[in-house]
Amino acid sequence: MFDLHRLRLLRELKHRGTLAAVAAALSYSPSAISQQLAQLEAEVGVPLLEPVGRRVRLTEQAEILVGHAEAVLERLERAEADIATSLTDLTGTLRVAAFQTAALALVPAALTLLRAAHPRLRLHVTQREPERALPALLARDFDVVVAEEYPGNPNPRPDGVEQEDLCADPLRLALPPGIAGATADAPPRAALRALAEHPWVMEPADTAARHWALTLCRTAGFEPDVRYESTDLLLHLRLVEQGHAAALLPDLVWSGREPSVPVRELPRGQRARRLFTAVRRGSSHHPAVRACRQALRQAVAGTPSLREGANSGAQRDQLT
């Protein structure tokens, strides 16, 4: 029989990449991790790690072992969910990660609902962009991730993750007030092209949002002059409000309020991003996970722009 704790350490190494990262995540020393993995190698009887420069990587046999460890851990998550379901009161800690606009517009309302329904359930919420939150979900840093997917840019679908659609969040071209009149009657692509010489604010180059935005502008026939970069969409909005840049903003930025700047519709097929929740396979039946997802759905229902988007062309563009 292989030691489950050591199997988990091997799995953590696969997901986190280095012994130092595993040690930091689990509050061990790197030497302690190395010793545990050496003992696992002795149990298995074959090498599990091989040096690559100053790092190590998993051997083919270690990858096989990790696959079985994933199945064991998934089964244990199902057992934990079954035990929690058998209890009359929901307790413990649920760790949630959400990107900025969802954290601002949806999470507080969901927390209020959860506090009223399950006062003994402790929620730990972290603002984290999907590019970092989804790998951390697999590494068991989070239990629920609220993430986004932009039109034409599907996210990777890891085997160990279960996704559930939350809503479609309409996307719009946000215009600096001084040039809004020039695009008042222009069709969507023409409105974009009218900003070919204007400064833009976008998310950083390594994000799905930036890839989508660049593709949208290039399809409209121009290369945007990106002078400002930030993951903070409230900063994007402030730069637009003060006439410094054009932007592509989701309705969640306004949290159900009327837009504070002129906005234009985007070309068909590009009018909404998909919002979804992600959990590890095996945990979707845990009552705390179910309660959190339900609270988030209720928060969506209470956000006018998303409720209206559910019946709009933006929703059909994104989810059909």
Side-chain angles (χ1 to χ4, degrees):
M1 295 291 291
F2 303 142
D3 184 271
L4 181 59
H5 172 67
R6 294 174 190 139
L7 286 174
R8 185 188 174 206
L9 293 179
L10 186 65
R11 177 195 175 278
E12 292 288 330
L13 180 58
K14 174 179 173 61
H15 286 291
R16 298 186 188 275
T18 67
L19 292 170
V22 175
L26 301 181
S27 300
Y28 288 102
S29 68
S31 61
I33 300 294
S34 295
Q35 290 170 10
Q36 290 292 312
L37 292 177
Q39 291 182 36
L40 182 60
E41 277 192 341
E43 291 175 359
V44 178
V46 297
L48 299 177
L49 304 177
E50 54 189 10
V52 180
R54 302 176 68 178
R55 303 177 66 175
V56 295
R57 69 182 175 195
L58 275 62
T59 63
E60 179 182 353
Q61 292 72 34
E63 294 282 0
I64 293 171
L65 197 55
V66 166
H68 287 285
E70 296 277 14
V72 171
L73 291 170
E74 177 187 333
R75 189 69 184 181
L76 289 175
E77 290 224 57
R78 291 182 185 275
E80 182 182 353
D82 288 344
I83 291 171
T85 300
S86 72
L87 301 174
T88 57
D89 198 7
L90 206 51
T91 61
T93 299
L94 189 72
R95 301 160 300 169
V96 180
F99 60 94
Q100 184 199 35
T101 44
L104 286 169
L106 301 179
V107 169
L111 290 175
T112 299
L113 292 165
L114 286 167
R115 182 177 60 192
H118 307 288
R120 296 184 62 194
L121 178 64
R122 182 175 186 268
L123 273 291
H124 187 277
V125 179
T126 302
Q127 182 181 315
R128 189 71 54 86
E129 296 305 308
E131 289 85 357
R132 295 175 57 206
L134 290 170
L137 174 70
L138 281 172
R140 286 176 160 72
D141 290 340
F142 302 114
D143 303 306
V144 178
V145 169
V146 184
E148 60 185 350
E149 185 175 84
Y150 280 81
N153 288 270
N155 294 330
R157 303 293 176 99
D159 289 339
V161 172
E162 296 179 0
Q163 296 185 7
E164 181 178 279
D165 285 340
L166 189 57
C167 64
D169 183 17
L171 295 160
R172 306 182 197 277
L173 172 62
L175 299 163
I179 63 170
T183 65
D185 300 318
R189 290 191 192 280
L192 282 166
R193 284 195 297 272
L195 294 160
E197 304 300 324
H198 198 81
W200 285 77
V201 56
M202 292 185 179
E203 296 198 41
D206 59 349
T207 61
R210 175 66 168 269
H211 181 266
W212 165 76
L214 287 177
T215 301
L216 183 66
C217 293
R218 289 166 180 168
T219 302
F222 69 98
E223 188 71 22
D225 177 11
V226 182
R227 298 191 193 179
Y228 313 102
E229 295 186 6
S230 175
T231 58
D232 186 345
L233 295 190
L234 296 181
L235 173 60
H236 291 213
L237 176 57
R238 182 60 59 86
L239 290 171
V240 177
E241 288 173 337
Q242 297 192 11
H244 297 296
L248 297 160
L249 293 177
D251 277 7
L252 268 188
V253 166
W254 291 285
S255 301
R257 300 184 299 272
E258 286 296 315
S260 57
V261 296
V263 295
R264 298 287 181 270
E265 195 170 60
L266 294 179
R268 190 171 297 278
Q270 302 292 327
R271 294 175 181 170
R273 61 178 178 173
R274 169 181 169 251
L275 271 55
F276 63 95
T277 55
V279 302
R280 286 183 302 279
R281 183 181 297 160
S283 69
S284 60
H285 297 295
H286 194 289
V289 170
R290 291 203 311 265
C292 180
R293 282 178 153 175
Q294 174 62 21
L296 286 165
R297 288 192 294 269
Q298 289 178 261
V300 166
T303 304
S305 61
L306 297 181
R307 188 172 62 245
E308 293 161 8
N311 300 313
S312 71
Q315 174 84 355
R316 292 191 297 273
D317 277 350
Q318 181 64 9
L319 300 180
T320 61

